[in-house]
């Protein structure tokens, strides 16, 4: 089967840096994606890692270690609008996108 | 450029009834996936359609069925509704596979009473 683990909640203050970890177990692996979802909104694609290493997109970076079945999303210069749920998602060998249970990020002023 | 659209926005049904949800993919996308998202949970994959065929399916009973039309739009049908089917149903479109970058619609909030 496939499973993903993420912390349920993370809190931080504006301007800080926060890291959201994700560990996964999957049969077959294409890569790890990250999605952001604001309350009442649709998930929005943030990043994708197919190979080991760090991918940077503006204030957001994502990291993958395939040997450790581990990845993280790094959010820098936090803003109030970054308060949302963040999901890691694995593209397994069956081309199905499997989502984790999500991490709720709360940013305080 | 229109994104993914879904209808209706909200729906209330009674146990045992049937429901049809609709989705139009982002322009240029040919693959549609459906997800069920319970409150406080991540989206759960229901199935994926490509070239009018169901290509992949998650762990959902046969009460959940779908269809994709030649214009790539799609429908999700749920028969014999149960209280547990109450959730947000999300449609996502992408360009073929691997579909790691998916564009989600706003969802249909289904309440079964």
């Amino acid at each position: 089967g496939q499973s993903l683990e993420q912390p349920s909640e993370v809190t931080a203050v504006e301007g800080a840096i926060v890291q959201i970890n994700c560990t996964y177990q999957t049969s077959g692996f294409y890569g790890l994606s990250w999605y952001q979802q604001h309350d009442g909104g649709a998930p929005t694609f943030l990043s994708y890692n197919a190979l080991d290493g760090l991918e940077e997109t503006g204030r957001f970076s994502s990291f993958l270690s395939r040997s450790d079945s581990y990845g993280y999303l790094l959010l820098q210069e936090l803003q109030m609008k970054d308060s949302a749920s963040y999901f890691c998602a694995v593209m397994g060998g069956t081309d199905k996108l499997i989502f984790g249970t999500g991490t709720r990020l709360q940013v305080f002023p | 450029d229109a994104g993914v659209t879904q209808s209706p926005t909200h729906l209330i049904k009674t146990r045992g009834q049937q429901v049809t949800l609709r989705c139009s993919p982002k322009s240029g996308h040919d693959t549609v996936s459906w997800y069920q998202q319970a409150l406080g949970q991540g989206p759960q994959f229901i199935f994926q359609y490509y070239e009018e065929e169901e290509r992949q399916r998650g762990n959902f009973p046969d009460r959940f069925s779908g269809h994709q039309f030649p214009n790539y739009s799609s429908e999700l049908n749920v028969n014999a509704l149960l209280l547990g089917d109450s959730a947000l149903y999300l449609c996502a479109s992408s360009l073929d596979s691997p579909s790691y970058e998916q564009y989600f619609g706003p969802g249909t909030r289904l309440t079964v009473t």
Side-chain angles (χ1 to χ4, degrees), chain A residues 21-95:
Chain A
N21 299 320
C22 173
T23 57
Y24 59 87
Q25 285 187 316
T26 176
S27 52
F29 180 81
Y30 283 148
L32 187 71
S33 300
W34 288 91
Y35 284 78
Q36 177 193 61
Q37 186 177 30
H38 287 98
D39 285 347
T44 304
F45 174 81
L46 291 177
S47 67
Y48 174 72
N49 295 67
L51 303 175
D52 287 358
L54 193 68
E55 295 281 343
E56 298 181 66
T57 309
R59 295 187 297 111
F60 295 179
S61 302
S62 58
F63 172 83
L64 175 66
S65 168
R66 295 171 68 113
S67 59
D68 296 322
S69 297
Y70 163 77
Y72 66 72
L73 180 69
L74 190 73
L75 298 87
Q76 303 181 75
E77 301 172 19
L78 280 173
Q79 302 175 8
M80 296 294 290
K81 67 178 181 180
D82 297 329
S83 293
S85 291
Y86 292 84
F87 296 91
C88 58
V90 168
M91 177 62 67
T94 55
D95 194 25

Side-chain angles (χ1 to χ4, degrees), chain B:
Chain B
D1 178 23
V4 179
T5 59
Q6 292 186 244
S7 62
T9 306
H10 295 86
L11 204 52
I12 300 175
K13 289 286 190 178
T14 303
R15 274 180 300 176
Q17 286 188 315
Q18 178 264 345
V19 67
T20 297
L21 311 181
R22 295 177 176 81
C23 170
S24 291
K26 179 179 168 61
S27 177
H29 284 183
D30 57 8
T31 303
V32 173
S33 302
W34 286 92
Y35 296 84
Q36 180 194 67
Q37 186 175 27
L39 205 59
Q41 300 295 315
Q44 298 293 307
F45 177 80
I46 303 175
F47 42 53
Q48 182 182 83
Y49 277 85
Y50 172 70
E51 291 189 342
E52 303 179 52
E53 296 285 332
E54 182 183 291
R55 181 162 65 179
Q56 293 288 346
R57 190 177 182 92
N59 295 326
F60 280 81
D62 291 343
R63 298 187 296 110
F64 289 77
S65 63
H67 189 78
Q68 185 178 35
F69 299 94
N71 66 353
Y72 307 123
S73 67
S74 177
E75 287 183 349
L76 164 66
N77 301 291
V78 187
N79 294 322
L81 283 167
L82 303 174
L83 294 179
D85 294 332
S86 295
L88 180 68
Y89 288 84
L90 294 161
C91 167
S93 72
S94 56
L95 278 174
D96 199 10
S97 74
S99 312
Y100 58 83
E101 181 176 354
Q102 301 194 4
Y103 291 77
F104 283 82
T108 295
R109 173 71 63 186
L110 172 65
T111 302
V112 183
T113 61

